[in-house]
Amino acid sequence: MHRLLVALFLFCALIAHGTAVAADADPKVLKVALLPDESPSTIIKNNQTLKAYLEKALDKKVDLVVTTDYSSMIEAMRHGRLELAFFGPLSYVMAKSKCDIEPFAAMQKKGKNTYRGVVIANTSAGINTLEDIKGKKMAYGDTASTSSHLIPKSLLAAKGLEARRDYEAHFVGSHDAVALNVQNNNAQAGGLSETIFEALVEKGTISKDKVKVLAVSAEFPEYPWTMRSDLSPALKKRIQDAFVDLTDPAVLKPFKADGFTRITDKDYDVVRDLAKILNLDLAKM
């Protein structure tokens, strides 16, 4: 009884001092988070081929996870509730400033692992240049989004326009919502991924009679897949190889990609540099 009481006391003391049990370096189940850019049920349904592929390649059970937004995905990663997560470039560098994670693969499209953002405007709003956005409403997606916040905000800043001082900034949650808000003139301009904008036009969701492209950004590194840094080296290699070796069109279709390529943290320094220019504190966003 005495030993039991001593053990119980020590256990409670460890909890009181916040000592955490080490995360499993080779878990039987991998929790894999996907970008929350559509409804969770749609995302999980569309990525059943990815789940099946990873379970076969890694010989492990895979649970697909979709959080409510970028911030909650970062928090889940920070608390060790995820093994893998698919981030945008900005949300990745934000997560990296708070979590012990590492990028291992980035999307590749038409031989490139970079992409661009665009600033769009309603065709009836009298906006022909970025400078014309002064005094207007500008729609952004998520605060942690690269191409629907960081990139378009930097393009406006380069023209001397600052949010709140020179224009109204409204965060509407997603790239699709940005385009629709601009088309409906709820906002006269907005920023989003060039690829997503083109896809919306192709599907007929957005009409070029109502929305036009004002500016296109420079190239930025594509969305990275990340993993917990404390996973076993052998498992990390198997995970990276599984993504780099992936060629199945059915698995790649939801990502609108033709493959994944190896990538490192250094590739995202360009995003950190842009955040510094805009005076963004990544750890506090």
Side-chain angles (χ1 to χ4, degrees), residues 84-135:
L84 305 182
F86 186 48
F87 283 109
L90 177 58
S91 55
Y92 161 67
V93 296
M94 288 170 60
K96 181 67 174 175
S97 71
K98 304 174 184 180
C99 316
D100 189 14
I101 60 173
E102 56 194 66
F104 63 87
M107 290 198 303
Q108 185 167 280
K109 299 176 181 180
K110 298 178 181 178
K112 298 195 310 179
N113 63 350
T114 58
Y115 76 115
R116 304 187 299 183
V118 294
V119 174
I120 59 174
N122 185 286
T123 55
S124 65
I127 298 175
N128 297 307
T129 66
L130 292 176
E131 291 89 340
D132 292 337
I133 294 173
K134 186 172 184 178

Side-chain angles (χ1 to χ4, degrees), residues 39-68:
S39 71
S41 59
T42 298
I43 295 170
I44 289 175
K45 178 182 177 181
N46 289 345
N47 284 280
Q48 287 303 301
T49 49
L50 173 67
K51 173 182 166 75
Y53 170 77
L54 291 177
E55 287 184 335
K56 183 177 181 180
L58 302 174
D59 193 25
K60 288 183 181 293
K61 179 176 169 54
V62 169
D63 284 345
L64 298 182
V65 178
V66 181
T67 59
T68 55

